[in-house]
Amino acid sequence: MFFATPAYAAEAAEHGAEHSQALFSIFGLQVSSVVTTMWGLMVLIILFSYLATKRMNKVPESRLQNFLEFVLESILELLTPIMGDEKLAKRYFPLLASFFILILASNYAGLLPGAGHLPGLQAPTSTLSVTAGFAVVVFFATHYYGLKTKGIKYFKHFVQPFPFLLPLNIIEEFVRPLSLSLRLYGNVFGEEMVVASLFALIPLFLPIPMMLLGILFGLVQAFVFTMLATLYISMATAEQH
Amino acid sequence: MSGIIAIAAALAVAIASIGPGIGQGLAAGKAMESIARQPEAAGEIRTALILSLAFMEALTIYGLLIAFLLYGKI
Amino acid sequence: MNISIHDMIWAIINFLVLVVILNKFLYKPLLGMLDARKQQIQNRLDEADAERSEAAKMKDEYSRQMQNAKEEAREIIGKAARLAEESKSGIIQDAKDEAAQIMKKAREEIGLEKEKAKAELRNEVASLAVMAAGKVLERSLQVQDHEKMIREFVQKAGDVS
């Protein structure tokens, strides 16, 4: 964006940094284009999983089932070493796998043509509001699972290793969702801004390498978010600390 | 005034990328050494590498966000 | 960098709804199926292993029985051969003994016959000689005087022959 025309860059910055315009509202909650994009992605994901599991077979016959099996098994393989145990990994699997799938889909939605310009189509993870929402879910899930598994003893980890570190520990707890949301938002939004700037400079072939990088970064960021959420939950629920 | 803000935005992202750049280089180098020494542990090393790279990357992202904030004020 | 509280709440709601629906439509059936498949494959593998070890055991058993049978057969053949050898040499020995005995008996008989023939011949020769001598000498010689002398002569001649 540093070499784009200021007018365009300002517009792009406004698009991402400011929350997008409300299209309509349900129960007093305004629905913006990121929300509609999320709905679209959710419908696609649920449709695919429904089609894949409708006629499920122990001998995988459909490519869709094969693909989803591959995705889920890969996610499970990633979670298992951090959780330390496949049973534990399976307990928190729905939450963490949903993070991965939804964030990945959201990141790739930003690569669609017209994303961020057409009304109702904008990468959800390119706004801080959505990533902050995800981070809030991680924050509450971490403490919920910690309390659920350890009971009142869970609060002991705030005064460990030394009681005078209590403020630092509390700050750390709040910095985690902040860094989680800012990292995801910054990466996706920054990548989109660079693509937009390159597009403004030479619209033909120049943005393609950056978009290819965007495919890689989208995957890595979804991976990192899921990994960190897993790490936090695993640390909160671990028996020995 | 806007010129100074523009320079500040540029400096924010530029300086914020120096440290993580060095750190990520060191981490990736060490990870590659480890993979070369123990190819059977490549999967675990890669996971740990990506996690640590993400932590370092966050620092640059903070600088980038500051740059965006400043940019909006031009 | 404002945060829209509406977007944030929508994000949380959407995410939780997605978790619930995917849990129902994707994770539970698919992971359950994966587990079932893993279990089934494991069972099949276990069964195959058990069957293979069973088969190996049976094969061992059979080969051991085979070995035993072979050894037994060899033993039986060996015993029979030894027995045959023994009986063969016994028969040959018997035959040899019998032959020797027959031979000996024959020889004895021959000797006896010879002796008898000799004695007969001697008597015959003696009487013939006396007769011949009597005929030749007739008067000049008294039978009683010279019979003793002639008998002695014939005796000597019989000894020489």
Side-chain angles (χ1 to χ4, degrees), chain A residues 18-19 28-32 34-35 38-39 42 46 49-50 53 56-58 60 65 69 72-73 90 93-95 97-99 129 133 136, chain C residues 1-4 6-19 21-23 25-27 29-31 33-38 40:
Chain A
E18 303 293 321
H19 61 87
L29 281 176
Q30 288 167 5
V31 176
S32 58
V34 287
V35 182
M38 266 178 101
W39 284 346
M42 282 163 67
I46 291 167
S49 41
Y50 175 71
T53 55
M56 209 164 45
N57 204 330
K58 268 186 191 160
Q65 185 193 339
E69 269 177 29
L72 291 198
E73 278 194 320
K90 271 187 183 158
F93 185 81
L95 188 82
S98 303
F99 270 130
S129 320
V136 165
Chain C
M1 213 158 53
N2 297 342
I3 289 185
S4 151
H6 299 279
D7 281 358
M8 195 167 147
I9 291 170
W10 273 122
I12 295 170
I13 293 172
N14 284 351
F15 178 72
L16 294 180
V17 167
L18 189 72
V19 170
I21 294 178
L22 281 191
N23 196 27
F25 278 120
L26 185 60
Y27 304 142
L30 206 65
L31 287 182
M33 197 273 298
L34 287 180
D35 269 359
R37 180 195 290 164
K38 198 173 151 195
Q40 193 175 347

Side-chain angles (χ1 to χ4, degrees), chain C residues 25-147:
Chain C
F25 278 120
L26 185 60
Y27 304 142
K28 267 189 187 160
L30 206 65
L31 287 182
M33 197 273 298
L34 287 180
D35 269 359
R37 180 195 290 164
K38 198 173 151 195
Q39 194 62 45
Q40 193 175 347
I41 290 171
Q42 191 62 51
N43 286 348
R44 292 277 156 85
L45 285 180
D46 287 351
E47 269 171 32
D49 272 355
E51 268 166 22
R52 197 177 301 141
S53 68
E54 183 80 15
K57 229 161 60 188
M58 271 161 88
K59 196 185 153 204
D60 274 4
E61 182 87 8
Y62 283 148
S63 64
R64 219 183 50 231
Q65 279 180 6
M66 206 69 166
Q67 194 66 33
N68 283 352
K70 263 187 198 160
E71 265 168 29
E72 216 167 300
R74 206 173 296 139
E75 220 167 88
I76 289 170
I77 289 172
K79 215 191 262 174
R82 217 161 45 240
L83 219 67
E85 193 69 33
E86 270 172 19
S87 59
K88 176 184 147 198
S89 57
I91 288 166
I92 289 173
Q93 194 60 46
D94 282 358
K96 268 184 188 162
D97 285 356
E98 212 171 314
Q101 232 163 0
I102 289 169
M103 211 70 153
K104 202 172 135 200
K105 224 180 188 174
R107 215 167 274 155
E108 272 172 12
E109 250 165 53
I110 289 168
L112 228 64
E113 285 298 313
K114 211 166 124 187
E115 211 60 39
K116 225 162 88 186
K118 259 187 199 167
E120 245 168 58
L121 196 66
R122 208 173 288 144
N123 285 346
E124 197 106 338
V125 169
S127 46
L128 273 181
V130 170
M131 226 159 54
K135 272 203 176 139
V136 170
L137 296 178
E138 244 170 322
R139 299 297 177 263
S140 68
L141 216 59
Q142 289 293 325
V143 173
Q144 281 86 5
D145 283 352
H146 291 93
E147 182 149 8

Side-chain angles (χ1 to χ4, degrees), chain A residues 67-79:
Chain A
F67 174 69
L68 283 177
E69 269 177 29
F70 164 72
V71 170
L72 291 198
E73 278 194 320
S74 307
I75 298 173
L76 193 61
E77 260 171 42
L78 289 176
L79 300 190

Side-chain angles (χ1 to χ4, degrees), chain B residues 18-38:
Chain B
I18 293 174
I22 295 170
Q24 289 188 338
L26 288 177
K30 288 286 178 195
M32 279 173 196
E33 270 177 27
S34 321
I35 290 177
R37 199 174 300 135
Q38 275 184 294

Side-chain angles (χ1 to χ4, degrees), chain A residues 74-93 96 100 176 222-240, chain B residues 43-52 54-55:
Chain A
S74 307
I75 298 173
L76 193 61
E77 260 171 42
L78 289 176
L79 300 190
T80 306
I82 298 180
M83 281 293 177
D85 185 5
E86 198 177 295
K87 227 179 103 193
L88 275 177
K90 271 187 183 158
R91 184 183 303 161
Y92 306 112
F93 185 81
L96 299 168
F100 183 81
R176 277 176 181 181
F223 175 74
V224 163
F225 190 98
T226 314
M227 286 283 115
L228 288 177
T230 315
L231 196 66
Y232 295 155
I233 291 178
S234 137
M235 275 161 73
T237 55
E239 285 305 321
Q240 284 105 8
Chain B
E44 288 169 34
I45 293 170
R46 198 175 297 123
T47 308
L49 172 68
I50 290 177
L51 274 184
S52 49
F55 278 119

